[in-house]
Amino acid sequence: MKFFADTAEIADIQRLAATGLIDGVTTNPSLINKSGRDFIEVTKEICALTDGPVSAEVIALDHATMMKEANVLRKIAENVCIKVPLTIDGLKTCKALTDEGAMVNVTLCFSAAQALLAAKAGATFVSPFVGRHDDNGFDGMQLIADIRLIYDNYDYNTQILVASVRHAIHILEAAKIGADAITAPPAVIEGLFRHILTEKGIEGFLADWAKTDQSIL
Ligand code: E4P
């Protein structure tokens, strides 16, 4: 399963990239706003920190302008993945860009029918937002299971990128269903490393080791 960091904070990406466990980065206009950085500049810096896809989102709502924006974003680096919203114009743009060989992440997916359309448009990734789905009284993980079933029925290559992840259980459930990737805030990814019994175990081993009066080095 691929792990993407859902952030535009350079320090967070550097810290996560150093673990060797991060396969790419996703950003969106809200995350760019939160970073306080220039969109193009920060995207360039992020692309240099990972070999994996870095999702950068178009702002326009019409196909022609989306294409113009995508062409600007594609010049930033080889690993830029153009993020388009799940609308008719977004999917039209997705089709045109993937036909040209660009990576495309179709974002703001909230139904299996929408995900089916994204696959038909040749999307590299589809991003179903599980957290926002749950927040509104729907079952986010059922959406992931439905998309997995549909994609497997037709051997679609579009990767399911579980987005709007709020906690570790979302990641575990997505992995059990067989989602291809998740994108999560750095704090959620870092939370996966921690377990109280691991910490207690280390404490106990170190206390006993001290009593042996030995050293490895
Ligand atoms: C995905 O690519 C989005 O950037 C992100 O996962 C949205 O998450 P949110 O619902 O926490 O804003």
Side-chain angles (χ1 to χ4, degrees):
M1 176 186 244
K2 290 175 189 159
F3 273 38
F4 294 158
D6 199 22
T7 182
E9 302 298 330
I10 295 294
D12 288 351
I13 298 165
Q14 278 170 328
R15 200 176 58 249
L16 285 169
T19 66
L21 301 178
I22 292 301
D23 304 292
V25 174
T26 55
T27 66
N28 64 38
S30 304
L31 293 171
I32 296 295
N33 178 44
K34 199 170 156 202
S35 76
R37 298 284 314 276
D38 174 82
F39 182 26
I40 306 290
E41 250 176 51
V42 78
T43 305
K44 197 170 186 171
E45 282 176 39
I46 295 170
C47 287
L49 293 174
T50 174
D51 292 334
V54 174
S55 291
E57 191 160 342
V58 297
I59 303 303
L61 297 177
D62 67 284
H63 169 63
T65 321
M66 278 183 189
M67 287 302 289
K68 283 185 197 153
E69 290 181 350
N71 287 334
V72 172
L73 299 176
R74 284 176 72 186
K75 289 196 184 97
I76 296 175
E78 285 282 314
N79 55 335
V80 164
C81 176
I82 307 299
K83 218 175 182 188
V84 299
L86 211 155
T87 59
I88 292 179
D89 285 63
L91 292 186
K92 209 169 146 185
T93 304
C94 171
K95 178 85 178 69
L97 289 172
T98 51
D99 282 352
E100 288 175 12
M103 285 189 287
V104 178
N105 175 356
V106 176
T107 191
L108 292 166
C109 171
F110 290 94
S111 80
Q114 287 181 319
L116 175 57
L117 293 173
K120 280 184 73 65
T124 317
F125 300 100
V126 66
S127 290
F129 277 36
V130 290
R132 293 192 197 184
H133 212 58
D134 292 352
D135 292 347
N136 285 280
F138 300 100
D139 183 346
M141 279 304 145
Q142 187 56 53
L143 173 60
I144 303 305
D146 289 346
I147 300 172
R148 180 74 283 157
L149 177 72
I150 292 167
Y151 281 12
D152 289 349
N153 278 347
Y154 295 96
D155 280 337
Y156 282 125
N157 291 326
T158 299
Q159 297 175 54
I160 304 172
L161 201 189
V162 178
S164 187
V165 163
R166 304 269 193 261
H167 45 67
I169 305 297
H170 275 152
I171 299 175
L172 278 185
E173 291 300 320
K176 286 194 223 167
I177 291 166
D180 302 281
I182 58 95
T183 187
V188 173
I189 295 175
E190 285 169 336
L192 296 177
F193 288 94
R194 286 192 289 275
H195 196 290
I196 182 71
L197 294 179
T198 306
E199 283 154 25
K200 278 186 76 168
I202 290 173
E203 217 178 279
F205 286 155
L206 288 185
D208 288 340
W209 178 251
K211 291 177 207 155
T212 71
D213 221 18
Q214 299 178 51
S215 87
I216 297 174
L217 299 178

